[in-house]
């Protein structure tokens, strides 16, 4: 590996108008209004070629938007160097790949520990659900090569908190800055990394991973997309073509055709309710600590809490024991 670089959202090699790539038919559909289909549009959609929904996730600055642009072959999502998150709202873009109509959903900072401040009313998280309904076929967890940090781990926990643990079976780890391998093997990098948390993540996701150089063009870019889509198609076959779903996606589907604002509000209420339940769960705050260095810390704290509870129980019964002993002494 070459010298480590600071995390950043990478600029894509494509201009504003993008580049037409053979075999691709490009279009953009970022507006929320596109979520509500009329009955006629829904029937027409059912007659079209199969559709794949790919959801981009991960911490800010890893190159999610640039990766989406690389897959699409055009600059659909805003992607540039910045000290803070560039993406502010969920957006979609689509293209044609082989027999598939591929839809990419880009996300802002929905998975960090700051999400309660960045999305206090759960509007953006509910928008993410609606844009990806009836559910993603694959979730692309984007992380920067050589920079898997505590913030990445927090983002991964945030992904599972928002979509449920079942999303693990639909997740592909996408490493950006593939050029930093300098011709080396990605498989060897993952296998030999000293970052235990990264090895655990890849294993948890079924060893599904690939790498992107988001400045690549031409044949190299196409090869990257082909490698990713091969993993996606394998997931689709394994799950019988069905997208990932949960109770919130079911609600989004049940509300299809309703007023867009009402639909957004209802899903946001459910997201907020689920968040409150997680926060009320006993000792939930312990499991928010960074996992890489926090396993022993959690164990120590849990042991300490257990010891304190035991001492409290013993202290409560101590006066009764002393009184019983005193009575026995008097009886003698």
């Amino acid at each position: 590996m070459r010298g480590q670089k600071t995390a950043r959202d990478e600029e894509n090699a494509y201009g504003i108008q993008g580049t037409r790539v053979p075999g691709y038919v490009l279009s953009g559909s970022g507006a929320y209004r596109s979520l509500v289909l009329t009955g006629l549009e829904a029937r027409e959609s059912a007659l079209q070629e199969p559709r794949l929904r790919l959801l981009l996730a991960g911490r800010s600055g890893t190159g999610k938007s640039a990766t989406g642009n690389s897959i699409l072959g055009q600059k659909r999502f805003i992607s540039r160097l910045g000290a803070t998150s560039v993406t502010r709202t969920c957006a979609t873009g689509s293209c044609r790949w082989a027999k598939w109509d591929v839809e990419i959903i880009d996300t802002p900072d929905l998975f960090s520990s700051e999400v309660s401040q960045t999305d206090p009313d759960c509007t953006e998280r509910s928008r993410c659900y609606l844009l990806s309904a009836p559910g993603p076929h694959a979730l692309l967890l984007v992380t920067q090569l050589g920079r898997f940090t505590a913030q990445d781990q927090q983002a991964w926990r945030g992904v599972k908190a928002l979509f449920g643990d079942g999303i693990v079976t639909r997740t592909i780890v996408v490493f950006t800055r593939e050029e930093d391998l300098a011709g080396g093997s990605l498989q060897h990098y993952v296998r030999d990394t000293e970052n235990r948390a990264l090895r655990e993540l890849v294993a948890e996701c079924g060893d599904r991973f690939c790498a992107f150089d988001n400045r690549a063009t031409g044949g190299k870019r196409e090869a990257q997309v082909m490698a990713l889509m091969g993993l996606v198609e394998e997931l689709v076959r394994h799950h019988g073509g069905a997208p990932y779903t949960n109770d919130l996606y079911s609600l989004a589907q049940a509300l299809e055709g309703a007023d867009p604002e009402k639909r957004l509000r209802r899903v946001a209420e459910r997201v907020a309710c689920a968040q409150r339940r997680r926060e009320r769960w006993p000792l939930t705050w312990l499991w928010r600590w960074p996992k890489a260095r926090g396993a022993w810390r959690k164990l120590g704290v849990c042991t300490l809490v257990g010891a304190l509870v035991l001492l409290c129980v013993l202290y409560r019964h101590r006066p009764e024991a002393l009184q019983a002993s005193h009575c026995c002494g008097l009886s003698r």
Side-chain angles (χ1 to χ4, degrees):
M1 293 293 297
R2 294 190 296 196
Q4 305 299 334
K5 296 180 173 62
T6 57
R8 63 186 179 88
D9 200 356
E10 305 162 357
E11 263 192 276
N12 195 272
Y14 301 94
I16 295 297
Q17 297 302 319
T19 302
R20 183 176 177 82
V21 179
Y24 279 76
V25 179
L26 305 170
S27 64
S29 57
Y32 174 70
R33 56 183 169 75
S34 64
L35 290 168
V36 183
L37 298 175
T38 64
L40 176 60
E41 287 172 328
R43 287 193 294 273
E44 289 175 349
S45 178
L47 297 175
Q48 295 174 356
E49 291 288 337
R51 177 171 295 246
L52 291 178
R53 283 174 298 279
L54 309 181
L55 180 63
L56 294 163
R59 70 172 172 86
S60 297
T62 56
K64 294 193 300 291
S65 299
T67 299
N69 291 337
S70 289
I71 298 170
L72 294 172
Q74 65 168 340
K75 191 167 184 179
R76 173 65 186 86
F77 307 121
I78 299 174
S79 173
R80 63 175 181 268
L81 179 63
T84 58
S85 177
V86 175
T87 302
R88 299 297 184 185
T89 187
C90 294
T92 66
S94 60
C95 69
R96 182 79 173 176
W97 189 87
K99 67 176 182 177
W100 304 104
D101 289 322
V102 181
E103 186 170 20
I104 310 292
I105 300 96
D106 191 20
T107 59
D109 182 16
L110 299 182
F111 312 107
S112 75
S113 58
E114 304 299 321
V115 70
S116 58
Q117 285 77 46
T118 58
D119 187 32
D121 56 0
C122 298
T123 297
E124 208 55 47
R125 279 169 282 183
S126 63
R127 198 187 310 278
C128 178
Y129 262 101
L130 294 177
L131 284 171
S132 57
H137 294 87
L139 182 139
L140 309 183
L141 183 69
V142 182
T143 185
Q144 196 175 75
L145 201 66
R147 295 282 301 177
F148 188 75
T149 65
Q151 287 73 34
D152 289 279
Q153 296 171 59
Q154 170 62 45
W156 177 228
R157 289 194 292 273
V159 167
K160 291 187 284 187
L162 181 58
F163 297 106
D165 289 339
I167 198 66
V168 171
T169 64
R170 304 300 187 108
T171 300
I172 298 170
V173 181
V174 179
F175 294 95
T176 56
R177 300 199 62 82
E178 186 269 347
E179 63 272 23
D180 285 353
L181 285 172
S185 166
L186 178 62
Q187 285 72 22
H188 290 169
Y189 167 78
V190 172
R191 183 192 65 195
D192 299 335
T193 181
E194 296 179 358
N195 192 324
R196 179 180 176 182
L198 177 57
R199 293 199 307 270
E200 290 176 350
L201 167 69
V202 171
E204 186 179 9
C205 296
D207 292 318
R208 294 181 295 271
F209 59 89
C210 63
F212 268 64
D213 172 1
N214 285 322
R215 294 181 181 272
T217 58
K220 182 176 180 181
R221 186 201 67 82
E222 293 178 15
Q224 292 175 165
V225 176
M226 184 173 295
L228 169 64
M229 295 305 296
L231 294 172
V232 173
E233 288 185 318
E234 185 178 340
L235 273 180
V236 171
R237 285 193 297 269
H238 180 74
H239 293 280
Y244 175 74
T245 191
N246 58 23
D247 290 344
L248 276 165
Y249 277 121
S250 298
L251 174 63
Q253 284 296 97
L255 293 172
E256 189 172 7
D259 176 74
E261 292 300 324
K262 177 183 177 181
R263 194 177 180 214
L264 184 66
R265 185 175 63 255
R266 287 284 303 279
V267 174
E269 289 170 355
R270 285 285 295 274
V271 172
C273 182
Q275 180 68 32
R276 287 194 295 270
R277 283 200 302 269
R278 284 192 299 271
E279 291 177 350
R280 285 198 300 266
W281 191 260
L283 301 182
T284 295
W285 58 275
L286 288 175
W287 308 106
R288 294 178 179 175
W289 292 1
K291 186 177 178 182
R293 61 182 180 179
W296 289 105
R297 187 188 304 172
K298 292 174 186 175
L299 179 60
V301 171
C302 288
T303 302
L304 178 61
V305 170
L308 290 174
V309 170
L310 180 61
L311 286 173
C312 288
V313 171
L314 292 175
Y315 184 79
R316 284 184 59 192
H317 292 284
R318 187 181 176 190
E320 298 174 6
L322 289 174
Q323 184 178 1
S325 175
H326 181 66
C327 292
C328 288
L330 291 176
S331 63
R332 292 193 188 99

